[in-house]
């Protein structure tokens, strides 16, 4: 069963109810049946220039001060991508026509499942890190902070994402199927730098998730 608090956050609901729980349960069943999760990752060495805001990954230099700060202290990384597959897109389209009241619940469950599956897939990377005395940073995706969405091209080419897991990139750098994730995951020898909460890795100060975390 997916994390109910995460689903409620995506819906924007402050608390659950019997009616909403029934809708979430129905959506969870539909999403799980429609999903065909797949992932791919690739180990790389990286160079981080925090002063100039550069990160060099496999010979490609990315200009992003936020990414450089996030990866400060890392000398290795994994390029990562995962997707729930095209069935989720079809499911969302169907509910947008047949049952609009269920649509935000379907979308919230799908978003939560995407993150849950990404966490599960990342366990393989965490095993590598433990075996090599490394510590894993949270995922950092194009579009976070000043990490440009155009860097999707680099990730798609480096990972052969379309070929390996069937995700395509639009001209505006959006992914299809839309419940897909790409990210850079840093590995450091210093455990003190590797407990950063994922919300603290993003500079979107108006995000309600960040406000909730900071109020605790």
């Amino acid at each position: 069963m997916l994390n109910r608090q995460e689903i409620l956050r995506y819906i924007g609901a402050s608390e659950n109810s019997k009616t909403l729980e029934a809708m979430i349960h129905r959506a969870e069943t539909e999403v799980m049946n429609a999903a065909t999760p797949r992932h791919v990752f690739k180990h790389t060495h990286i160079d981080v220039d925090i002063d100039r805001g550069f990160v060099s990954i496999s010979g490609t230099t990315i200009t992003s001060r936020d990414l450089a700060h996030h990866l400060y202290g890392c000398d290795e990384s994994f390029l990562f991508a995962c997707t729930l597959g095209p069935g989720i897109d079809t499911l969302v389209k169907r509910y947008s026509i047949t049952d609009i009241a269920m649509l935000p619940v379907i979308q919230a469950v799908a978003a939560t499942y995407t993150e849950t599956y990404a966490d599960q897939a990342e366990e393989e990377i965490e095993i590598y890190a433990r075996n090599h005395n490394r510590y894993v940073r949270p995922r950092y995706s194009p579009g976070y902070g000043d990490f440009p969405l155009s860097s999707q091209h680099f990730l798609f080419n480096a990972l052969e994402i379309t070929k390996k897991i069937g995700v395509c990139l639009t001209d505006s750098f959006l992914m299809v199927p839309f419940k897909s994730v790409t990210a850079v995951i840093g590995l450091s020898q210093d455990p003190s730098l590797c407990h950063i909460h994922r919300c603290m890795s993003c500079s979107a100060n108006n995000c309600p998730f960040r406000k909730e975390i900071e109020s605790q």
Side-chain angles (χ1 to χ4, degrees):
M1 188 170 71
L2 297 173
N3 187 303
R4 289 302 188 260
Q5 289 303 312
E6 289 298 307
I7 295 171
L8 292 174
R9 285 179 180 178
Y10 280 112
I11 294 172
S14 58
E15 59 183 27
N16 210 344
S17 66
K18 288 185 178 180
T19 300
L20 183 54
E21 175 57 32
M23 295 172 72
I24 291 172
H25 180 74
R26 175 184 166 191
E28 190 173 47
T29 300
E30 293 262 23
V31 167
M32 293 292 186
N33 288 338
T36 51
R38 301 174 69 187
H39 69 276
V40 61
F41 55 79
K42 178 180 180 181
H43 177 250
T44 65
H45 290 278
I46 61 174
D47 292 308
V48 179
D49 187 333
I50 196 169
D51 294 324
R52 295 190 295 170
F54 293 162
V55 178
S56 179
I57 306 175
S58 297
T60 296
T61 298
I62 297 172
T63 302
S64 169
R65 290 193 177 277
D66 291 331
L67 181 63
H69 278 277
H70 182 74
L71 295 176
Y72 177 68
C74 296
D75 56 0
E76 298 178 65
S77 74
F78 278 87
L79 309 182
F80 174 84
C82 72
T83 183
L84 293 188
I88 302 299
D89 292 40
T90 302
L91 185 67
V92 167
K93 289 178 182 177
R94 174 160 62 84
Y95 270 96
S96 68
I97 297 170
T98 63
D99 193 346
I100 196 68
M102 273 289 294
L103 184 59
V105 183
I106 291 286
Q107 292 173 324
V109 168
T112 302
Y113 187 25
T114 303
E115 291 298 319
T116 300
Y117 177 71
D119 290 343
Q120 293 169 347
E122 196 177 318
E123 289 176 5
E124 298 174 59
I125 296 171
E126 291 172 353
I127 291 171
Y128 170 91
R130 288 194 296 270
N131 290 339
H132 293 80
N133 297 314
R134 293 290 193 272
Y135 301 89
V136 179
R137 295 283 171 85
R139 295 185 294 273
Y140 206 88
S141 298
Y144 285 9
D146 66 355
F147 186 11
L149 270 177
S150 57
S151 296
Q152 294 279 40
H153 273 311
F154 163 68
L155 291 172
F156 266 70
N157 290 335
L159 287 169
E160 299 181 279
I161 291 173
T162 301
K163 176 183 177 181
K164 291 185 176 179
I165 62 173
V167 179
C168 297
L169 192 65
T170 70
D171 291 341
S172 54
F173 310 116
L174 300 179
M175 291 181 284
V176 180
F178 73 97
K179 288 305 178 190
S180 303
V181 172
T182 57
V184 178
I185 301 171
L187 274 68
S188 170
Q189 298 183 57
D190 185 352
S192 68
L193 298 175
C194 294
H195 62 279
I196 308 168
H197 191 283
R198 71 179 58 179
C199 285
M200 304 315 296
S201 305
C202 172
S203 59
N205 293 319
N206 63 341
C207 174
F209 288 14
R210 173 185 287 270
K211 290 177 182 177
E212 180 174 333
I213 291 296
E214 292 179 344
S215 68
Q216 293 177 355

